Amino acid sequence: MGGFSSHAGTYDVGIIFDEELGLSAIPFYKTFCSIFEKKDCTKIENYDKCLEHFLITDGISANLLKRVEAKYPNFMKVVNKIFETDMTFDELLEKYKSQYLKEKIYSSTTVLYESKTFSKTLGYIEDEEAKPKIDAKNVGRNDSCPCGSGKKYKKCCGSEYALQPQASLA
């Protein structure tokens, strides 16, 4: 990605976690945010190209724009001034991020991270056979999973037990 960073030596990348779509690495995130922080964004080198990049790039989700718009009350005022338009935020999303509004699009980082093959290769998860057996009698659905994953029991080992037939108490 060449061309519109506002700094000479540092490549600015934001690592953003979205509860709905996962983890994303966003190039020039700090530069993008600085457009809404500065009194005069025109002093940021290639500010207009940076803004355009965030709007037209498929890898930038509507959720990210919603996050930035919520953080900076002047978001639409600045966008409209730069592009000489008079759009609302909803119109902006419909114009540039309509695909995100229709369906969830997960970042490639999230897809890769959630891949069992990738995780096994890097040693993040063990083989299923090596996974400890969990005594789930005293574990609540919303408790941390006793396997040590850091996930809630219902999203981890509890999902395995939910699929198994429950023993009758009779």
Side-chain angles (χ1 to χ4, degrees):
M1 291 228 218
F4 56 77
S5 176
S6 65
H7 355 19
T10 305
Y11 185 73
D12 95 64
V13 176
I15 305 299
I16 307 296
F17 177 74
D18 181 304
E19 287 185 19
E20 185 180 359
L21 302 175
L23 193 64
S24 298
I26 310 294
F28 304 109
Y29 182 69
K30 186 173 181 177
T31 302
F32 178 65
C33 289
S34 68
I35 292 170
F36 308 102
E37 294 169 352
K38 305 277 184 194
K39 281 187 176 184
D40 183 6
C41 68
T42 62
K43 294 188 181 200
I44 299 169
E45 186 178 346
N46 294 311
Y47 67 95
D48 51 346
K49 291 177 184 168
C50 180
L51 178 58
E52 182 180 30
H53 168 77
F54 271 76
L55 295 177
I56 65 172
T57 300
D58 290 339
I60 307 294
S61 73
N63 287 358
L64 178 72
L65 293 181
K66 288 176 185 178
R67 176 185 285 195
V68 174
E69 190 264 346
K71 184 175 179 180
Y72 300 105
N74 64 334
F75 181 86
M76 282 311 301
K77 182 178 180 181
V78 172
V79 170
N80 282 325
K81 183 176 180 183
I82 291 170
F83 291 130
E84 298 177 350
T85 60
D86 190 25
M87 289 187 279
T88 65
F89 184 67
D90 290 336
E91 291 169 336
L92 177 112
L93 290 180
E94 188 58 43
K95 180 175 181 176
Y96 293 102
K97 302 297 178 184
S98 61
Q99 188 176 3
Y100 277 95
L101 300 176
K102 293 176 186 146
E103 58 186 281
K104 288 184 183 179
I105 301 173
Y106 296 94
S107 72
S108 55
T109 308
T110 297
V111 172
L112 187 60
Y113 180 76
E114 292 295 326
S115 160
K116 286 186 179 183
T117 303
F118 177 73
S119 297
K120 283 181 186 177
T121 301
L122 294 179
Y124 292 137
I125 61 172
E126 301 171 3
D127 289 331
E128 294 298 319
E129 297 80 34
K131 202 171 186 181
K133 298 296 179 198
I134 304 297
D135 180 13
K137 292 178 183 161
N138 295 321
V139 180
R141 286 176 37 80
N142 290 315
D143 293 342
S144 293
C145 190
C147 78
S149 69
K151 296 180 182 180
K152 287 187 177 187
Y153 176 69
K154 68 183 177 186
K155 295 283 187 178
C156 191
C157 295
S159 64
E160 295 172 15
Y161 293 106
L163 299 175
Q164 297 175 0
Q166 299 296 316
S168 172
L169 297 175

